[in-house]
Amino acid sequence: MVEPVNSSFGKMLLEEVSPVVMVLCTPLVEETFLKNGLSFVETLKPFCNFRNIDVPVRTSSDQLYRLKKFTLRLFYASDIRQPNVEVAKQRLEHVITQAGEKDFQDLKFDPPQITDILSNPESEIAPSWFQYYNKELIRTLSFSDHEAFDHPVACLLVVSSKDEEPINKFVDLFNSNRLPTDGTMDPNILKHYLLVHDNQDATTERTSKVLSEMRSQFGSNECNLLCTNSSKEGNVDHQANPWASFKSSVSADKLGCALTGDDIVEIKDLMQEFASRHIIPYMEQKVRELNQQISATRKGFRNQIKNLWWRKGKGDGPDVTKGSMYTYSSTESQIRILGDYAFMLHDYELALSSYRLILTDYDIDKAWKHYAGVQEMMGLAYFISDQSKKESEYCMERAFSTYMKLGKSGFQNALRCGLWWAEMLKARDQHKEAASVYFRICGEEPLHAAVMLEQASYCFVLTKPAMLHKYGFHLVLSGDHYKNCDQVNHAIRTYKSAISVYKSTTWSHIKDHIYFHIGQWYAIVGMHDVAVRNMLKVLDCGYQSKATQEIFLRDFFDIVKKTGMKHEVVGLKLPVINMSSLQVIYEDHRTYASQASALVEESIWQSLEDDIIPSLNSGKSNWLELQSKLLPKKYKESNVCVAGESVKVDLEFKNPLLISTSITSVSLICELTTNSDDLKLVDNEPSSSSLGPEISTEHNQVTTSGFSSFTLSEVDFTLGGGEKNLVRLTVTPSEEGILKIVGVRWELSGSIVGVHYFQSVPVKAKTARGRRKNKLTPTDALKFLVIKSLPRLEGSIDHLPEKLYAGDLRYLVLELRNKSESPIKNLKMKISHPRFLSPGNHEEELTTEFPDCLKKGDEQNIVQHETNRTSSVFAFPKDVSLQGDRSLRWPLWLRAAIPGTISLYYTIYYEMENVSSIMKYRTLRMHYTLQVLPSLQTSFEITPSPSRLQEFLVRMDIVNRANSGCFQIHQLSTVGCRWGISLLQPVDTILPSKSLLAGQALSCFFMIKDCRKSGTEDEEIMSLPPSQTDVKLFTQDDDEKLFDIVSSPLASFHDSERSCQGPSVQVSPNTVDFILISRLAKSSSPSVVPDLPKILTHHSCHNSIRSSSPLSWSLDGPQTIHHDFLTSLCEIKLKMVIRNTSEGLSSVTINTNDCLPDAAAPTSSSGNQSGWRYVPTVTEEMKLTSDVMGSRLGKPPSSMESSPPFIWSGLSSTKVQIQPLSTTEIPLQISVFSPGIYDLSSYKLNWELSEHESATSSGTCQGYPYYLTVLQSE
C-alpha cells in the first residue's frame, strides 16, 4: 500500500490544505498578463506547487526538519470570501456538463468488457473528471469562519512599472480594506511587494528607478522585480504548456505566447523564493509565537483546570449554529490557527495536540461546527501522518455526524468531510466502506447524488473480490439521476458501463431496462443508428408483460422512423428463428411428387429403390460415387440441383412477444457463381487441364431489377403472441453454376430489414448422402452445383380417398406427365405395400363400371387372370415414352388390408437420353397416408365330419368392428379348386336383418368338401366348377352375378394376404383359404367415410382343420345283406380307408375284437326272427357327432336284445406305414353267424407319429359306429 503522503488523497491534501496568498494588483498588471491569455494569478498558479523545495523548519521544538513539498494557493482579494451557494452549484453543474460534452464522441463505441475494466489500474477505472469535480466541491466551502487554513497567510501587492506613481499605488493597495470585516481573519499578515516589468512596452531605466524607490520605502527583502513578455512577436509555442491543465477554455497555442523560456524560469524562481524565504519563515515564526503564548495560558494542569472552571455553566447555553462567537484574537482562534499552520508546515504532532486542546472547548461551548471542523482535521492529520486508522476513521465519523446534526447549514461541510473520508478509505484499499460513505453523502439534490452514486459504483468494482452486481446496480441508479437532470451523455455513459455487467447474466428484466433506456437516450442526442442497435436488444422480451412489450415495440419503431431510412440488422431477434428446424429440400436424381414425400426419411426410399436402380460397372458403386468421379474436385462435396427446379428451405419463425407481429418480404439470401470452366467439365468428360476461370457472382441483395440468374419466393405472414410458423422458402436457379444459400431476410414495419446468416448452424438436408456417414457441414448442405435442365416426371393418383374401411377395394388411376421435350423411357415402379396396391396390366381404363368388372362373365382384359410376377418391381411396357404434353394413365387397384394409419410409398424410376453426363436416370417418389377404419372381422373353425372322410364342418364368426357403419354380406368363397362349399341352412336364416349393425356379431355354418381323389399316395385334384367354390349370401337380386375371385385384382391381393398372414414356404396343404365379400349398407351415414365403398373383401388364409389326431379314416362296406344261414355262415368283405393328415411318417396298427364288451344277450320275441338289433332312425343318425379321438359316441338302448357274437375273420392285428399327407386302403372281413343288426366299431387304431428326427408321439383311436344289417334270405 502506498504511503499516505504519496497517495492521490495525500497529494490532494497538500494542495487543498496549504497557505493562501492574497493578491492585490493594478489593472495594468492584468493587462500585461492578458497578452498571454492569462490573468496574473493564472500565470503564477502552475509554479506554486513545489515538489522539492528542501527548506529547514523548526516549530515547537528545537529539532529541525526539512520541508520537501510545499504548495501555495493564490487568490485575488475579491475572491477571499465564502462562495455564493447558487453560483457554486452552477459551477459544479458546468463541470459535469463540460465533462459530458468531452465524452460525447466516446458514446459511439461499444461498452467496455468487464474483464477489461477489472484489468485496468485503479486510476483508469473511474473518469478523470471526478477528481476535478471533487476539488471544485471542496472549494465551495473555502474561507469558512470556523477554519483557519483558508485564511490568508500573506498579501502579494503587484504594481506595473507602467503605472503612474507606482509607490503611491502600493500605498493605496495596502491601505484598502480587502479582508473580510467579520473579525475571523487576522489583518496583520505578511506583505510582499512585486513590480512587474513588461519587456514589450516599458523601459528598463524607469523600472530600475521604481524598484530602488520600493526597496527604500518597503525594505529590500520585501520587494521583487518580475520581467515578463520578452517575446516581441508574441508567438512563442510551448511544447509542454504548463497552463494547459489550468486553462482549458482557451487554446493551448495562445497560452503564454509572449513568454519566453527565460520568463518562465524567472516566474518559477520568483515563486520558489517567495515561498522559501518569506512564506515558510513567516509561518514558522508565527507557530513558535503562538505555541509559546498558548503554552503559557492553556497548557499545563493548572491552566486546564482554570479553563474548565471558567467555562463552567456554558454547557447549559444554546447551541452556536449561526455567526461566530470567536474572533481571530480569541484564544480558541489562536489555537486553531496554530493547529492549521502546523498542519500546513507538516508538523502533524503539533497540529494534533492543538486540535485536542481546543476540542473540549468547542464541545463545552456547543460550537458544533467548530467542533466538527476540528474532528475533521484530526482525522486528516491521523491519516497523513500514518497513525492510528481507527482514530482517523472515528474522527471522520464524529465530524460527519456532527455536521449532519446541524441540518442544512452543515450539509455542505458534511459533503466535504464525506469526500475526504471516502478518499481516505480508498487510499487504504477499503473500497467497500468508501462506497457506503459515498452513498451517505448523496443528499437530495439529484445531480450531486448521480455523481456520488457513480463514484460508489467504482468502489464496488475495486473491492477484492469485485462486487459486480452492486457495481452495475449503482451505475443504473446514477444513470437515472443523470437523466432526471438532463445530463443525457452521462446517463448513456453509466448505462453503457452497466451493460458490461448484465449482458452475460440471466437478469433479463434489468437488461431490458438498460437497453431500452439507453436506446431512448441515444435517440435524444441524435445518434439514431446506435439507438436502433440498442433497442434491438429488447425485442426478444417474451417474459415481459404485454403492456411493456407494446411500449418497447412502439418506441423502437418511432426511433426507426425518425432515421428516415431502412436499417438492415444482422441477428434480429424478432421473430426468433429456430435454427434446429432448418431443413433443406432439393431434387437431384431424386424428385418428389409432394411435400409429404419430401419429408420421408431417406432410408425408407433407399430400401425401396434398391431393386430398381441399376448397378454401375463396379458392383458396389452407387450414383453418388459416380457423381464424385464426374464433378470437379472442389465441388465434390456440393449437392446437385437442376436449373429450373426449386431448392426449398423450411424454417420455423417464432414470435417471442405476446402481441401480434406482421412479418413481410421473407426470402432467402443466395449467391450464384458461374464458372464456365468447371461447368464445361461437368457437361463433358473430366479433363486434367484447365484455363483461368471466369467467375461472375450474383447476390439477391444486389439484384433488384432486370434479368436474374435465380428467382426467390417471398412470404408474408402474421405471428400471434407466442405463435410459431414453419415457412417454406424457395430459390429457383435458372443458370448453371454454384448456388450458395447464405441466409434469410425479412422486413418489420417496412423500415427494419432483419438478416440471419446460416454459416455456423447445423442443417438437416433431406437428401442425405446415402449410406455414407452424415458428415455434412453447414457449408456443404447449403451449397449446390446447378446443372442444366433435365426432364422431370410428375405424378398423381386420381380420387385417392383419405379414409377407408378395412377391406375396401378401389379402382384408381396413376397419371404421369413429362412437360419437357426430352423423352423419358424404361419406366419402372415399386410399391412399398403390395398388400394395399396392385398395378393393372394395361394402360387402357375400364369400360365396364366398377365393381361390375370384377364379376364372373366379364371379359375385360384388366381383370383377366394375373400373370405370375416373380419380382416386386412393376415394369411399364417398353414402348411407353413420355414427352411434351402427353400423359400416361395407368390403372391401380387399392385395397385397405388392415385398419390403422397406413403410409404408402411409391417410387417410379425412369431414364433420360443425351441430357446430362452425370445424371442418366431419375426417380419420382410419391407418398400418401391412408386412415383405414375397422370393418368386419372374420374367423373360421373347421372340424372333420365324423361320418364322411372328405367333408368338414365350417363355422364362420363375423364381428362388425366399425363404430357406425352397417354392412351387408354378399359372398363367401373358397380359394382354389380343391375345396367345394355349400350351405347348411337357408340364406334367409343366416342374417334375417339383411345387414350387420355396428358391434353386432354373427355365426353361421357351412360344409366344405375336399374334392381330391383318394386311394393312392399321389392324389389328384379334381377340378371343380367355379360355382361350387362360391356361396351366395344375399337374397335380393337373384340374377346378380358373383365376384370372380380367381382373377385380378382379387387373386393378386389374396396372394399378398397369404404371404402376410402366414409362412410363404412349405405351407401345409391341409388348410383352407376363404374370401368374404361384403358391401356397405345403404343406410350407413357417409360422414365417417365421405367416398362410400362399393365392395369390401376380407381374406382369411391358412385356416387349418381342427383335430387332435393325425389320422382320419372310414369303414366302407354294404349296409344290408341277405344270406341263408341254413346253409352256411355269412362272410362279409369290408374296406378301411386311412389318411395321414400330418406332415410326419405315421405307423398304424389295427386291433379288432370279436365281441363287444357291452353287448347284451339276444332276446326272443314272438313273430320275429331271433338276433334282431336296434336300428336307429335317419334323424337320430344325423345327430351323431364324433369326438376328435374317434371313441364311440353312443350305445344302443338298454332295451336292445343281445346278439350272438360275430368274429373278424381277417387278421386280428394289421400294421401299416403311411407317408405324410397320404392315404392307404386296408381290406377287412367279418363272419356273422345269425341275422341281426351289428355294430362294427369293435376295433382300435394305435398310431405312432414320427414328426422330426427325434420327436415322436403316439395314441389310440376307438372305431367309429358302423351298423350292418344281416337278413335271412327267403
Side-chain angles (χ1 to χ4, degrees):
M1 188 171 62
V2 183
E3 292 183 1
V5 70
N6 294 322
S7 65
S8 60
F9 178 52
K11 295 175 182 178
M12 185 178 73
L13 282 181
L14 294 179
E15 294 176 5
E16 297 301 322
V17 186
S18 60
V20 173
V21 177
M22 182 174 68
V23 178
L24 296 173
C25 62
T26 62
L28 286 178
V29 175
E30 291 294 331
E31 183 180 336
T32 299
F33 286 94
L34 286 175
K35 294 178 181 180
N36 300 287
L38 300 164
S39 68
F40 175 74
V41 172
E42 290 172 344
T43 304
L44 301 184
K45 267 188 178 180
F47 311 103
C48 293
N49 196 351
F50 311 105
R51 297 299 178 188
N52 192 14
I53 195 169
D54 196 16
V55 177
V57 178
R58 184 176 66 235
T59 54
S60 60
S61 64
D62 294 334
Q63 186 177 0
L64 285 172
Y65 65 93
R66 307 196 72 85
L67 201 61
K68 297 293 185 180
K69 298 178 181 179
F70 196 72
T71 302
L72 292 178
R73 293 183 290 161
L74 303 183
F75 292 95
Y76 289 112
S78 58
D79 294 333
I80 299 179
R81 67 180 186 277
Q82 293 186 17
N84 182 274
V85 176
E86 293 299 325
V87 174
K89 182 178 178 181
Q90 292 175 5
R91 179 168 178 77
L92 290 174
E93 185 175 347
H94 175 72
V95 171
I96 298 173
T97 304
Q98 193 175 28
E101 292 172 353
K102 289 182 179 179
D103 296 337
F104 179 75
Q105 296 301 324
D106 296 337
L107 300 180
K108 296 181 180 179
F109 302 113
D110 292 333
Q113 299 294 327
I114 192 63
T115 54
D116 296 337
I117 294 175
L118 295 175
S119 61
N120 287 337
E122 181 178 343
S123 59
E124 297 180 9
I125 290 180
S128 59
W129 62 269
F130 277 170
Q131 188 174 4
Y132 181 64
Y133 174 84
N134 292 340
K135 289 182 179 180
E136 289 296 326
L137 183 59
I138 291 171
R139 287 168 185 170
T140 59
L141 295 172
S142 301
F143 314 109
S144 300
D145 55 1
H146 69 291
E147 297 168 329
F149 59 81
D150 281 335
H151 295 181
V153 173
C155 179
L156 182 62
L157 295 93
V158 188
V159 175
S160 174
S161 60
K162 296 185 294 184
D163 280 320
E164 295 181 1
E165 300 180 357
I167 302 300
N168 293 333
K169 291 291 184 183
F170 279 117
V171 175
D172 293 340
L173 290 176
F174 177 76
N175 291 329
S176 60
N177 188 9
R178 301 296 181 91
L179 291 176
T181 58
D182 57 358
T184 58
M185 294 185 186
D186 187 358
N188 299 318
I189 58 177
L190 173 68
K191 296 177 179 63
H192 193 75
Y193 304 93
L194 180 64
L195 180 64
V196 175
H197 173 70
D198 189 346
N199 288 328
Q200 291 182 350
D201 301 329
T203 59
T204 307
E205 295 78 5
R206 186 175 187 274
T207 302
S208 300
K209 181 181 178 181
V210 173
L211 180 61
S212 299
E213 293 179 0
M214 285 174 55
R215 287 175 176 173
S216 63
Q217 179 74 25
F218 306 113
S220 59
N221 291 332
E222 305 299 333
C223 298
N224 263 323
L225 173 65
L226 177 62
C227 296
T228 185
N229 296 343
S230 299
S231 175
K232 301 297 182 181
E233 295 79 10
N235 56 0
V236 178
D237 185 13
H238 302 281
Q239 291 184 354
N241 197 311
W243 299 279
S245 60
F246 293 90
K247 190 78 171 179
S248 58
S249 59
V250 180
S251 174
D253 298 336
K254 297 180 180 180
L255 297 177
C257 57
L259 298 175
T260 63
D262 294 338
D263 293 340
I264 295 176
V265 171
E266 186 175 351
I267 295 173
K268 187 182 300 183
D269 293 341
L270 171 68
M271 294 310 297
Q272 185 158 356
E273 180 184 356
F274 180 54
S276 60
R277 294 187 179 182
H278 300 279
I279 299 295
I280 296 176
Y282 170 77
M283 294 179 65
E284 180 185 8
Q285 181 64 31
K286 185 78 171 179
V287 167
R288 287 201 299 267
E289 293 176 356
L290 289 174
N291 186 49
Q292 291 176 2
Q293 178 184 349
I294 293 170
S295 297
T297 59
R298 291 295 306 273
K299 292 184 178 181
F301 180 75
R302 180 180 179 182
N303 290 331
Q304 291 181 11
I305 295 298
K306 182 180 178 180
N307 180 61
L308 291 174
W309 180 263
W310 178 74
R311 294 181 184 275
K312 186 178 181 181
K314 285 190 174 184
D316 300 331
D319 295 349
V320 180
T321 57
K322 293 184 180 180
S324 177
M325 61 181 293
Y326 307 104
T327 63
Y328 71 89
S329 59
S330 65
T331 304
E332 292 82 3
S333 296
Q334 294 298 309
I335 298 174
R336 175 62 195 254
I337 291 173
L338 173 61
D340 288 348
Y341 273 37
F343 191 99
M344 290 186 285
L345 289 176
H346 304 179
D347 189 352
Y348 302 114
E349 289 296 335
L350 179 58
L352 282 170
S353 64
S354 300
Y355 293 145
R356 293 192 197 100
L357 185 62
I358 199 176
L359 187 63
T360 306
D361 295 347
Y362 288 147
D363 188 12
I364 295 174
D365 293 343
K366 295 186 179 180
W368 300 123
K369 200 169 195 178
H370 294 73
Y371 175 84
V374 172
Q375 289 277 18
E376 188 177 2
M377 292 306 296
M378 288 178 64
L380 297 179
Y382 277 121
F383 165 76
I384 203 164
S385 61
D386 199 12
Q387 296 189 36
S388 173
K389 294 182 181 179
K390 183 177 181 181
E391 288 294 333
S392 63
E393 292 183 17
Y394 172 78
C395 291
M396 299 305 290
E397 172 67 39
R398 291 291 298 166
F400 182 81
S401 301
T402 305
Y403 279 135
M404 293 301 292
K405 287 179 181 179
L406 296 176
K408 187 176 182 181
S409 63
F411 181 71
Q412 289 299 110
N413 297 95
L415 289 182
R416 185 190 65 184
C417 179
L419 286 176
W420 280 347
W421 187 11
E423 292 295 332
M424 179 192 305
L425 293 170
K426 288 162 62 178
R428 292 172 173 169
D429 292 335
Q430 295 176 271
H431 296 284
K432 183 178 179 181
E433 292 78 4
S436 64
V437 174
Y438 279 124
F439 193 79
R440 292 173 68 179
I441 61 176
C442 285
E444 298 179 358
E445 203 281 314
L447 185 56
H448 169 76
V451 179
M452 295 301 109
L453 286 169
E454 186 176 1
Q455 293 192 73
S457 68
Y458 294 114
C459 290
F460 286 117
V461 82
L462 289 171
T463 56
K464 302 298 180 184
M467 304 173 71
L468 295 180
H469 288 306
K470 289 200 173 192
Y471 164 65
F473 180 70
H474 281 77
L475 283 175
V476 172
L477 291 178
S478 175
D480 288 338
H481 282 76
Y482 278 131
K483 178 57 179 63
N484 294 336
C485 299
D486 296 328
Q487 297 289 340
V488 181
N489 292 348
H490 287 294
I492 294 174
R493 180 178 52 79
T494 54
Y495 267 53
K496 277 180 60 179
S497 299
I499 288 175
S500 62
V501 177
Y502 294 109
K503 68 179 180 181
S504 60
T505 66
T506 58
W507 293 10
S508 303
H509 287 78
I510 193 169
K511 283 195 292 187
D512 288 347
H513 172 85
I514 293 173
Y515 281 117
F516 176 68
H517 286 88
I518 204 173
Q520 286 184 319
W521 298 339
Y522 269 117
I524 293 175
V525 299
M527 301 172 67
H528 292 93
D529 54 340
V530 187
V532 171
R533 191 163 63 243
N534 282 276
M535 293 289 282
L536 288 170
K537 306 287 187 181
V538 304
L539 295 186
D540 186 11
C541 57
Y543 41 82
Q544 297 280 7
S545 65
K546 186 176 182 180
T548 303
Q549 294 176 10
E550 290 174 347
I551 294 174
F552 284 176
L553 212 58
R554 182 194 64 215
D555 287 11
F556 170 69
F557 287 126
D558 287 345
I559 293 173
V560 172
K561 289 179 181 177
K562 289 178 182 178
T563 63
M565 56 183 293
K566 280 190 177 183
H567 290 264
E568 185 173 284
V569 181
V570 178
L572 180 62
K573 295 297 184 181
L574 183 65
V576 176
I577 297 177
N578 180 12
M579 294 313 302
S580 61
S581 68
L582 179 63
Q583 194 170 50
V584 182
I585 303 172
Y586 64 95
E587 297 180 338
D588 40 26
H589 75 289
R590 299 154 287 195
T591 63
Y592 302 93
S594 62
Q595 178 180 353
S597 58
L599 299 177
V600 177
E601 291 293 332
E602 179 68 16
S603 58
I604 297 177
W605 294 120
Q606 288 181 355
S607 62
L608 196 62
E609 294 171 355
D610 283 344
D611 295 339
I612 62 175
I613 293 180
S615 60
L616 303 176
N617 295 333
S618 175
K620 297 184 179 180
S621 298
N622 57 23
W623 177 84
L624 294 171
E625 293 173 351
L626 175 64
Q627 171 186 339
S628 65
K629 296 176 183 178
L630 297 178
L631 290 180
K633 183 177 180 180
K634 63 181 178 180
Y635 300 134
K636 285 184 179 181
E637 296 300 324
S638 300
N639 304 304
V640 178
C641 65
V642 181
E645 298 182 8
S646 298
V647 176
K648 306 175 184 66
V649 176
D650 288 345
L651 197 58
E652 183 183 84
F653 292 80
K654 179 184 177 182
N655 183 7
L657 306 181
L658 299 175
I659 56 179
S660 180
T661 304
S662 178
I663 316 296
T664 59
S665 302
V666 184
S667 64
L668 296 172
I669 303 174
C670 301
E671 295 177 356
L672 182 62
T673 304
T674 303
N675 191 322
S676 57
D677 291 337
D678 287 342
L679 296 177
K680 192 179 297 182
L681 291 176
V682 171
D683 290 335
N684 302 302
E685 293 299 323
S687 174
S688 59
S689 62
S690 61
L691 302 176
E694 298 178 1
I695 301 176
S696 63
T697 302
E698 184 175 347
H699 196 285
N700 65 311
Q701 287 183 297
V702 180
T703 304
T704 56
S705 61
F707 176 76
S708 176
S709 57
F710 55 82
T711 57
L712 298 168
S713 65
E714 286 194 355
V715 180
D716 299 337
F717 56 90
T718 299
L719 290 175
E723 184 181 353
K724 299 178 182 178
N725 188 13
L726 186 65
V727 178
R728 169 158 291 182
L729 306 173
T730 63
V731 53
T732 306
S734 56
E735 293 182 353
E736 300 172 67
I738 302 300
L739 176 67
K740 295 180 181 179
I741 301 177
V742 179
V744 64
R745 58 185 291 139
W746 65 94
E747 290 188 9
L748 284 178
S749 187
S751 54
I752 290 291
V753 178
V755 176
H756 189 95
Y757 293 106
F758 296 151
Q759 286 91 339
S760 60
V761 180
V763 179
K764 294 181 287 184
K766 282 307 295 180
T767 52
R769 295 288 191 186
R771 295 183 178 88
R772 294 172 61 187
K773 293 183 179 179
N774 188 13
K775 292 185 178 179
L776 285 177
T777 65
T779 305
D780 297 332
L782 298 172
K783 183 178 179 181
F784 300 87
L785 174 65
V786 184
I787 63 176
K788 63 182 179 181
S789 180
L790 297 176
R792 183 181 183 278
L793 187 64
E794 298 178 0
S796 62
I797 298 178
D798 296 346
H799 310 298
L800 180 66
E802 295 182 356
K803 288 185 178 181
L804 304 91
Y805 283 110
D808 193 352
L809 183 65
R810 299 293 180 102
Y811 171 74
L812 307 174
V813 175
L814 171 65
E815 184 174 1
L816 302 176
R817 296 174 298 279
N818 173 27
K819 295 183 179 180
S820 173
E821 293 300 327
S822 300
I824 60 175
K825 62 178 184 177
N826 294 339
L827 278 74
K828 302 176 186 178
M829 179 171 64
K830 186 174 181 181
I831 301 171
S832 62
H833 293 73
R835 189 178 184 184
F836 282 79
L837 280 167
S838 176
N841 291 327
H842 300 277
E843 181 180 354
E844 294 82 7
E845 297 186 27
L846 296 176
T847 57
T848 307
E849 185 178 357
F850 174 80
D852 294 339
C853 59
L854 303 180
K855 294 181 179 179
K856 296 181 178 181
D858 194 282
E859 300 300 329
Q860 279 277 330
N861 291 332
I862 197 168
V863 292
Q864 285 185 349
H865 290 274
E866 181 86 16
T867 59
N868 291 330
R869 292 179 183 168
T870 59
S871 173
S872 60
V873 178
F874 174 76
F876 290 86
K878 294 291 184 181
D879 57 349
V880 172
S881 177
L882 287 176
Q883 71 182 102
D885 296 331
R886 183 176 179 271
S887 64
L888 173 66
R889 294 179 61 84
W890 199 266
L892 281 180
W893 294 99
L894 169 68
R895 178 182 174 273
I898 55 175
T901 301
I902 309 300
S903 294
L904 301 179
Y905 307 99
Y906 320 70
T907 183
I908 300 177
Y909 164 89
Y910 57 96
E911 297 177 356
M912 305 163 290
E913 287 186 351
N914 302 324
V915 178
S916 173
S917 60
I918 65 171
M919 196 177 294
K920 298 295 185 181
Y921 69 88
R922 301 186 84 177
T923 57
L924 173 63
R925 297 170 169 180
M926 307 173 68
H927 170 241
Y928 296 95
T929 301
L930 303 178
Q931 184 179 356
V932 182
L933 305 178
S935 60
L936 298 183
Q937 178 180 336
T938 61
S939 62
F940 293 86
E941 183 180 349
I942 306 175
T943 306
S945 172
S947 58
R948 293 177 176 82
L949 185 63
Q950 302 294 101
E951 293 183 359
F952 301 88
L953 182 66
V954 177
R955 173 179 172 175
M956 179 177 68
D957 295 319
I958 307 175
V959 180
N960 184 358
R961 298 294 185 184
N963 292 329
S964 58
C966 301
F967 298 93
Q968 293 178 344
I969 303 174
H970 186 273
Q971 172 183 336
L972 179 65
S973 302
T974 56
V975 179
C977 301
R978 174 182 173 184
W979 302 97
I981 187 171
S982 58
L983 291 169
L984 287 181
Q985 59 189 115
V987 175
D988 293 341
T989 62
I990 294 177
L991 188 61
S993 62
K994 310 297 183 184
S995 62
L996 200 62
L997 303 179
Q1000 185 178 355
L1002 172 69
S1003 296
C1004 50
F1005 297 88
F1006 304 90
M1007 181 67 74
I1008 59 173
K1009 183 177 182 181
D1010 189 351
C1011 300
R1012 295 180 302 177
K1013 295 181 179 179
S1014 61
T1016 61
E1017 292 293 333
D1018 298 329
E1019 298 178 354
E1020 299 178 0
I1021 298 178
M1022 179 180 181
S1023 179
L1024 288 175
S1027 59
Q1028 294 186 14
T1029 61
D1030 306 313
V1031 173
K1032 180 179 180 181
L1033 300 178
F1034 59 94
T1035 56
Q1036 65 274 26
D1037 300 329
D1038 291 339
D1039 296 334
E1040 186 175 351
K1041 299 178 180 179
L1042 297 175
F1043 289 97
D1044 189 358
I1045 64 169
V1046 299
S1047 300
S1048 178
L1050 293 178
S1052 60
F1053 281 128
H1054 187 76
D1055 291 341
S1056 299
E1057 287 296 323
R1058 283 186 61 84
S1059 63
C1060 293
Q1061 293 186 20
S1064 58
V1065 182
Q1066 295 181 353
V1067 176
S1068 172
N1070 200 28
T1071 59
V1072 186
D1073 293 351
F1074 295 96
I1075 299 178
L1076 176 67
I1077 300 177
S1078 63
R1079 290 181 175 178
L1080 192 68
K1082 296 181 179 179
S1083 59
S1084 297
S1085 173
S1087 59
V1088 178
V1089 178
D1091 189 7
L1092 296 179
K1094 296 182 178 180
I1095 178 177
L1096 294 90
T1097 63
H1098 312 277
H1099 300 253
S1100 180
C1101 305
H1102 311 295
N1103 295 286
S1104 59
I1105 298 173
R1106 181 184 176 187
S1107 174
S1108 59
S1109 171
L1111 303 178
S1112 62
W1113 72 93
S1114 63
L1115 188 63
D1116 295 335
Q1119 297 290 328
T1120 304
I1121 292 179
H1122 294 79
H1123 181 73
D1124 185 8
F1125 286 96
L1126 299 178
T1127 58
S1128 65
L1129 57 85
C1130 178
E1131 294 183 347
I1132 304 172
K1133 294 185 179 296
L1134 303 173
K1135 180 179 67 173
M1136 180 175 289
V1137 180
I1138 305 175
R1139 178 172 179 77
N1140 180 7
T1141 60
S1142 69
E1143 296 181 359
L1145 179 63
S1146 181
S1147 175
V1148 182
T1149 302
I1150 305 174
N1151 295 320
T1152 58
N1153 273 325
D1154 291 335
C1155 60
L1156 290 173
D1158 56 350
T1163 303
S1164 300
S1165 58
S1166 58
N1168 293 328
Q1169 295 177 340
S1170 65
W1172 286 106
R1173 296 181 66 91
Y1174 172 75
V1175 179
T1177 63
V1178 176
T1179 303
E1180 290 174 338
E1181 183 181 359
M1182 291 293 292
K1183 292 181 180 179
L1184 288 175
T1185 58
S1186 169
D1187 67 357
V1188 294
M1189 298 300 296
S1191 60
R1192 294 184 59 178
L1193 301 180
K1195 297 179 180 180
S1198 57
S1199 59
M1200 191 170 79
E1201 297 177 354
S1202 62
S1203 59
F1206 64 88
I1207 61 173
W1208 295 89
S1209 55
L1211 296 175
S1212 62
S1213 178
T1214 303
K1215 185 174 183 179
V1216 294
Q1217 297 280 343
I1218 307 176
Q1219 297 296 322
L1221 304 176
S1222 300
T1223 305
T1224 186
E1225 295 181 358
I1226 300 174
L1228 297 175
Q1229 179 177 320
I1230 63 172
S1231 298
V1232 181
F1233 301 102
S1234 63
I1237 300 174
Y1238 298 94
D1239 181 4
L1240 305 183
S1241 61
S1242 59
Y1243 61 90
K1244 293 181 180 180
L1245 300 181
N1246 297 321
W1247 54 269
E1248 184 175 350
L1249 181 64
S1250 300
E1251 297 179 352
H1252 303 289
E1253 295 181 359
S1254 58
T1256 59
S1257 58
S1258 60
T1260 301
C1261 298
Q1262 184 66 41
Y1264 289 125
Y1266 181 84
Y1267 294 100
L1268 174 64
T1269 303
V1270 181
L1271 301 176
Q1272 178 66 37
S1273 59
E1274 296 293 335

